[in-house]
Amino acid sequence: MSIKEPRNYQPPPNCLQDRTILVTGAGSGIGRAAALSFAKHGATVILLGRTVEKLETVYDEIESAGAPIPAIYPLCLEGATEQDYQTLASTIEQEFGTLHGLLHNAGLLGQRTTIGNYQAQIWQQVMQVNLNAQFLLTKALLPLMKTASDAAMVFTSSGVGRKGRPFWGAYAVSKFATEGLAQVLAGELDEVSNIRVNCLNPGATRTAMRAVAYPAEDPGTLLSPEAIMPAYLYLLGPDSQGISGQSFDAQ
Ligand code: NDP
């Protein structure tokens, strides 16, 4: 089933059954909602994040919902080395055999200031978490994902990753680069693997990051992370087979 707009997808109850999906930044915000939603639609979810307590809370929520028992993998994407990602890949292979889905969701906002005032150390931190970690994670997990009969990778973009906006600094630049990474990778994997690669812009969503970026905004006017899940379920599930190298909006 191919649809024009992933946001209009009506997910069948078990659309992710028998899939193992890794979600980065799974402890809060959109990543938490995605982990819960994927599990409730049948997936075994690997919860990756830097704050163990948050991951444990999501684990408990998934267990209480009667969904497949998830796994927790604590990792700070800022300091992780290439070897750490290799260890992650080996662990997933040992525990689950293969990997069907990867949601690159974790992200840092960084500073909201001019390029002239941007602190170099924060610039590097944002680029490390929002871009370089995605490259390293992707590189480490590609061989495993290639063994799945059907696999999907989703990168998280942003409106400021498609048109530059003043004062968004490294965040905007990292999201442009994320769109580029997804396009390069999708082209390389096209017709030589069963992995599809797409970008998804969540749009204005009620999370902690959004509240920091727009302190004067009434959060009640925003969609919740749960409300934008149809697009995520579509792009990570079998119904998006054949769709790759594209950039979508979740709302
Ligand atoms: P949140 O700040 O609520 O969540 C970000 C997540 O990333 C948290 O789970 C956080 O973990 C994790 N994270 C941050 N740094 C690291 C790190 N070094 N290692 C591991 N995990 C880390 O943001 P959102 O849920 O709003 O954002 C999710 C994604 O959506 C991001 O990529 C963001 O850029 C994008 N986005 C969001 C929009 C919105 O309106 N909310 C709009 C457009 C794009 P911890 O909680 O432990 O800090």
Side-chain angles (χ1 to χ4, degrees):
M1 182 200 355
S2 177
I3 58 171
K4 277 210 175 94
E5 289 294 349
R7 63 177 173 239
N8 295 330
Y9 183 53
Q10 294 183 325
N14 285 320
C15 60
L16 298 183
Q17 195 155 24
D18 299 328
R19 286 180 182 245
T20 302
I21 300 178
L22 187 146
V23 178
T24 69
S28 55
I30 295 168
R32 170 187 165 273
L36 273 162
S37 179
F38 295 170
K40 286 178 182 170
H41 286 83
T44 299
V45 184
I46 302 165
L47 309 166
L48 187 148
R50 64 177 169 178
T51 312
V52 177
E53 302 81 58
K54 291 184 185 177
L55 300 175
E56 285 174 349
T57 303
V58 178
Y59 181 104
D60 291 344
E61 288 176 292
I62 290 174
E63 194 178 33
S64 308
I69 298 297
I72 288 180
Y73 202 94
L75 190 70
C76 176
L77 298 174
E78 195 185 333
T81 63
E82 195 157 17
Q83 182 54 50
D84 292 328
Y85 292 105
Q86 288 303 334
T87 304
L88 167 66
S90 306
T91 307
I92 296 174
E93 185 174 18
Q94 272 163 28
E95 296 293 321
F96 302 102
T98 190
L99 185 68
H100 306 88
L102 172 55
L103 173 59
H104 291 285
N105 163 83
L108 281 181
L109 182 62
Q111 281 182 294
R112 299 287 315 286
T113 188
T114 61
I115 294 293
N117 281 328
Y118 213 98
Q119 287 179 41
Q121 186 255 332
I122 296 181
W123 181 280
Q124 286 185 357
Q125 184 186 31
V126 172
M127 296 304 279
Q128 190 63 26
V129 173
N130 293 12
L131 176 65
N132 299 338
Q134 298 186 124
F135 155 67
L136 291 169
L137 185 58
T138 298
K139 185 182 169 192
L141 293 178
L142 266 182
L144 193 55
M145 293 185 78
K146 282 182 179 163
T147 65
S149 56
D150 176 51
M153 202 180 300
V154 173
F155 288 86
T156 306
S157 181
S158 164
V160 298
R162 294 176 183 161
K163 181 157 184 10
R165 201 180 300 162
F167 314 119
W168 281 77
Y171 180 86
V173 174
S174 73
K175 294 299 185 180
F176 267 90
T178 293
E179 294 264 0
L181 173 58
Q183 285 180 21
V184 169
L185 183 64
E188 288 169 1
L189 295 175
D190 194 30
E191 291 183 10
V192 297
S193 83
N194 292 316
I195 309 173
R196 56 192 169 284
V197 181
N198 293 289
C199 259
L200 187 57
N201 167 22
T205 309
R206 196 166 63 232
T207 67
M209 183 190 288
R210 178 78 191 183
V212 172
Y214 295 89
E217 185 176 68
D218 174 5
T221 60
L222 302 173
L223 285 186
S224 68
E226 290 73 22
I228 61 168
M229 283 304 123
Y232 286 80
L233 291 163
Y234 178 67
L235 290 176
L236 282 153
D239 286 331
S240 60
Q241 266 168 25
I243 295 180
S244 193
Q246 297 194 43
S247 193
F248 296 101
D249 293 314
Q251 52 179 297

